[in-house]
Amino acid sequence: MQTTTASIPRPERDCLTLESVSKSFGGVDAISQVDLRVAQRERRAILGPNGAGKTTLFNLISGALKPTSGRLFLLGKEITSMASHRRAYLGISRTFQITNLFPGLTVLDNLVIAAQALQKTKFVMFRPVTSFNDLYQRVEEVLVKVGMIDKRREVVKNLSYGEQRQIEVAMALFTEPRLLLLDEPTAGLAPAESSGMVSMLKGLDENITILIIEHDMDVAFEIADRITVLSFGKILAEGGREEIRANETVQQVYLGVE
């Protein structure tokens, strides 16, 4: 069970810190007094039943929502009131449950758009994007890293759903994130595609801190070092894989075991 403290220390080794963070909608607490600390280079999974507040928590971390109360820190710097685009510049990158790709463009074009998003060249109107060779070089380097270089000329709508999810993760890497938020990356994937996604995520740069929402506990346990379980907007349990597997309260609330 969660230990309540007045304030969590914010040592520099921590990538992300949440202090007593709450978010209410019309008087209903979607997130309630959440204290969370994620170390640099850690792989952390957020588990919980539908309605537990997982996506709301991600929205608070990414800046899509502002907390009703509490404070958030990235690498010791307070980001509570910071807009989402400023958090992106500081190193927070995110994928979503639903892909946000341009289906009529090629993989290469989608990734060049992502690569250019945080570059000053996005304001240059008198040169075609194709003239920026460094962008295309970065795209190809990332595609090699995620094992999809052979798909660079494919139109996105012709890719499988699993491949599209992999491309979205690749897009998130162009911001060179310190913290990567993955919102159910294997949702809707066939078993083979899910296995491919897990392999890709496990192969990412170990210096990137990863926070992942995942409905599949087996996937979460394979990727994550530590697990945090949410229930009704509160932290129900936190610990290593075996500790969470053996937790009777987690079994009752999350797995429906009597």
Side-chain angles (χ1 to χ4, degrees):
M1 298 294 289
Q2 181 187 19
T3 301
T4 302
T5 57
S7 179
I8 302 176
R10 299 186 298 277
E12 285 301 315
R13 66 181 177 83
D14 287 335
C15 180
L16 177 70
T17 304
L18 275 64
E19 290 184 350
S20 301
V21 170
S22 297
K23 180 61 181 179
S24 299
F25 297 98
V28 177
D29 289 336
I31 293 293
S32 179
Q33 296 292 305
V34 166
D35 291 331
L36 181 69
R37 193 163 67 197
V38 181
Q40 290 188 56
R41 296 178 293 279
E42 183 180 337
R43 267 63 171 153
R44 176 75 66 92
I46 306 294
L47 297 178
N50 291 335
K54 303 185 296 297
T55 297
T56 299
L57 183 65
F58 261 32
N59 286 336
L60 291 168
I61 295 169
S62 67
L65 292 174
K66 296 294 187 292
T68 303
S69 61
R71 299 192 296 172
L72 298 90
F73 299 82
L74 180 70
L75 296 167
K77 179 181 180 64
E78 184 165 5
I79 59 172
T80 309
S81 301
M82 194 174 290
S84 57
H85 70 275
R86 291 191 60 201
R87 298 187 195 198
Y89 275 103
L90 287 180
I92 296 179
S93 189
R94 178 183 180 180
T95 67
F96 295 83
Q97 291 182 31
I98 301 173
T99 57
N100 290 285
L101 304 175
F102 297 99
L105 299 181
T106 65
V107 168
L108 193 64
D109 290 336
N110 268 271
L111 294 181
V112 166
I113 291 171
Q116 196 180 27
L118 296 180
Q119 302 289 324
K120 292 181 179 180
T121 56
K122 68 182 179 181
F123 300 113
V124 177
M125 303 299 178
F126 53 85
R127 285 179 59 185
V129 173
T130 51
S131 67
F132 296 104
N133 294 327
D134 58 322
L135 290 179
Y136 283 86
Q137 183 177 345
R138 284 193 61 204
V139 165
E140 298 209 350
E141 289 173 354
V142 170
L143 284 173
V144 168
K145 289 180 181 179
V146 300
M148 298 199 71
I149 187 64
D150 60 325
K151 300 290 184 179
R152 63 189 182 278
R153 302 293 181 186
E154 291 279 353
V155 175
V156 163
K157 65 182 178 182
N158 295 331
L159 298 177
S160 70
Y161 185 63
E163 290 171 332
Q164 291 183 33
R165 297 308 300 261
Q166 288 180 284
I167 293 301
E168 191 174 38
V169 173
M171 289 176 69
L173 296 177
F174 280 114
T175 61
E176 298 181 352
R178 296 179 175 182
L179 174 63
L180 179 59
L181 307 176
L182 301 172
D183 196 346
E184 299 205 12
T186 67
L189 302 189
E193 291 178 321
S194 181
S195 178
M197 175 66 77
V198 168
S199 295
M200 187 187 81
L201 295 179
K202 290 173 70 174
L204 293 181
D205 186 344
E206 63 181 14
N207 290 313
I208 300 174
T209 303
I210 296 177
L211 193 58
I212 178 173
I213 293 173
E214 183 51 61
H215 68 288
D216 188 325
M217 291 188 74
D218 290 333
V219 169
F221 289 162
E222 189 168 355
I223 294 173
D225 305 314
R226 290 180 59 79
I227 313 292
T228 297
V229 182
L230 285 182
S231 180
F232 296 106
K234 298 181 178 181
I235 293 182
L236 175 70
E238 198 167 77
R241 301 179 187 93
E242 297 309 315
E243 184 180 355
I244 295 300
R245 285 186 191 274
N247 188 301
E248 293 183 0
T249 304
V250 172
Q251 293 174 10
Q252 292 169 1
V253 173
Y254 184 66
L255 299 176
V257 176
E258 296 184 359

